[in-house]
Amino acid sequence: MVLSAEKTVLSAEGMVFSAEKTVLSLSAYDTVLSAEEMVLSAEETVLYAEETVLSAEETVLSAEETVLSAEETVLSAEEAVLSAEETKLSAEETVMCCLL
């Protein structure tokens, strides 16, 4: 009878130990899941940062295109001024020739 009771106690202790292992295993699994969620969140942050960088690069390229366009406009205006000065000089030469 005592031996049977001792066996029952040992069996119960074995079940408690098994249950504790299961709880620890579940706790570790929860920790792993939490870590995986943190990794996914960090990856999302990296992707968002990469999108932000790409957007900034596009903005820079657009600004550079605007600068180039402005420089072309300035060059075109300078050419128009030079052309007007040439026309003025030509007209002055014509007037001088007519006066002589």
Side-chain angles (χ1 to χ4, degrees):
M1 186 104 154
V2 172
L3 187 60
S4 177
E6 287 177 352
K7 283 183 181 178
T8 303
V9 168
L10 286 175
S11 177
E13 287 175 349
M15 286 193 285
V16 167
F17 179 73
S18 178
E20 287 174 345
K21 280 182 14 183
T22 301
V23 167
L24 288 174
S25 178
L26 290 175
S27 177
Y29 183 71
D30 287 344
T31 302
V32 168
L33 286 178
S34 178
E36 287 175 346
E37 288 175 357
M38 291 170 62
V39 167
L40 287 174
S41 177
E43 288 173 345
E44 287 176 359
T45 302
V46 167
L47 287 174
Y48 179 75
E50 288 174 344
E51 288 175 1
T52 303
V53 168
L54 287 174
S55 177
E57 288 174 346
E58 288 175 358
T59 302
V60 167
L61 287 174
S62 178
E64 288 173 346
E65 288 175 357
T66 302
V67 167
L68 288 174
S69 178
E71 288 173 346
E72 288 174 357
T73 302
V74 167
L75 288 175
S76 180
E78 288 174 345
E79 288 174 357
V81 167
L82 288 174
S83 178
E85 288 175 351
E86 287 175 356
T87 302
K88 177 186 170 193
L89 288 174
S90 178
E92 286 174 350
E93 285 176 3
T94 302
V95 168
M96 293 301 267
C97 285
C98 291
L99 291 176
L100 294 177

